[in-house]
Amino acid sequence: AIHMTQSPSSLSASVGDRVTITCRASQDIRNDLGWCQQKPGKAPKLLIYAASSLQSGVPSRFSGSGSGTDFTLTISSLQPEDFATYYCLQDYNYPLTFGGGTKVEIK
Amino acid sequence: EVQLLESGGGLVQPGGSLRLSCAASGFSFSSYAMSWVRQAPGKGLEWVSGISRSAGSTYYADSVKGRFTISRDNSKTTLYLQTNSLRVEDTAVYYCAKDGMDVWGQGTTVTVSS
């Protein structure tokens, strides 16, 4: 199975900050990577698919980049509603695998 | 409106079984692969199982292989997960998700405890 290493596991940031989360795959997954956001008690929500494509309805402050094994999720200007946990997911092959998650907290 | 609605969770003793269901609406269910994803209390997301559009192919995480069975009924636009030989570590919220993970259900809670 492909292992996804996500970092950091948590971070503290202020409203307006630029935030970057990284995900590394244990093998080449082309651009078959997505990013999800999850708030407490809620189902995950897809933000980015195919490494860099913005899901419909997601604010443009979210962006994704990367291919092969190294990927990045960037929030250009953190908003109060962005405090949540973020997960990467590879859908290159089965079994699908998630990163361990990054909890974004208020500084 | 595109929607997935899970049901069937509950409290079960170790070794017991539950059948989870996921009713889909608002999209062409038979055109998409589907997955089950779970989240143990205070933990991250774990993909559990997937099934192709026609149910010709099924896939499982090693942690559930041989104990869980995924299936679907395209005529009823419903996805299923039969969970057998349940363990305490299977306690989690179970979500169904559409291929691409762009649509998720609200989750159903499975608690395995004596």
Side-chain angles (χ1 to χ4, degrees):
Chain A
I2 298 172
H3 184 70
M4 304 302 294
T5 303
Q6 190 174 335
S7 62
S9 56
S10 66
L11 64 90
S12 295
S14 302
V15 172
D17 284 354
R18 182 181 182 88
V19 169
T20 299
I21 299 168
T22 63
C23 199
R24 174 164 288 176
S26 60
Q27 67 181 69
D28 186 343
I29 59 170
R30 303 182 308 187
N31 71 335
D32 293 331
L33 183 108
W35 291 96
C36 294
Q37 175 194 66
Q38 188 181 33
K39 296 182 179 179
K42 300 294 187 181
K45 172 187 173 183
L46 182 69
L47 302 176
I48 301 286
Y49 64 95
S52 60
S53 296
L54 192 67
Q55 177 67 7
S56 176
V58 174
S60 59
R61 62 181 180 272
F62 291 94
S63 64
S65 64
S67 66
T69 60
D70 293 310
F71 302 88
T72 300
L73 173 70
T74 300
I75 309 173
S76 60
S77 177
L78 198 65
Q79 297 302 299
E81 60 267 32
D82 301 337
F83 292 94
T85 301
Y86 295 83
Y87 295 92
C88 62
L89 163 71
Q90 69 81 18
D91 58 358
Y92 176 74
N93 66 11
Y94 287 103
L96 307 187
T97 43
F98 288 91
T102 297
K103 187 173 184 178
V104 177
E105 298 176 303
I106 302 172
K107 182 183 283 185
Chain B
E1 181 189 4
V2 175
Q3 194 170 12
L4 295 171
L5 187 61
E6 301 95 337
S7 61
L11 174 63
V12 61
Q13 292 187 336
S17 299
L18 283 175
R19 189 195 198 198
L20 309 184
S21 298
C22 169
S25 60
F27 66 99
S28 179
F29 179 73
S30 61
S31 297
Y32 295 94
M34 298 290 295
S35 282
W36 287 96
V37 175
R38 69 183 180 183
Q39 186 169 39
K43 302 297 185 182
L45 300 172
E46 179 188 18
W47 177 86
V48 172
S49 183
I51 188 167
S52 63
R53 292 174 293 178
S54 64
S57 296
T58 57
Y59 310 90
Y60 300 93
D62 285 346
S63 57
V64 306
K65 201 172 292 183
R67 301 187 299 122
F68 290 11
T69 302
I70 191 171
S71 61
R72 65 191 295 164
D73 186 334
N74 286 342
S75 68
K76 295 182 178 179
T77 65
T78 301
L79 176 72
Y80 303 100
L81 187 69
Q82 178 67 42
T83 66
N84 297 332
S85 303
L86 282 163
R87 304 168 180 168
V88 170
E89 55 265 34
D90 294 318
T91 295
V93 176
Y94 284 73
Y95 297 99
C96 59
K98 175 179 162 285
D99 187 31
M101 303 293 178
D102 61 337
V103 182
W104 294 70
Q106 87 293 343
T108 188
T109 300
V110 172
T111 303
V112 185
S113 174
S114 55

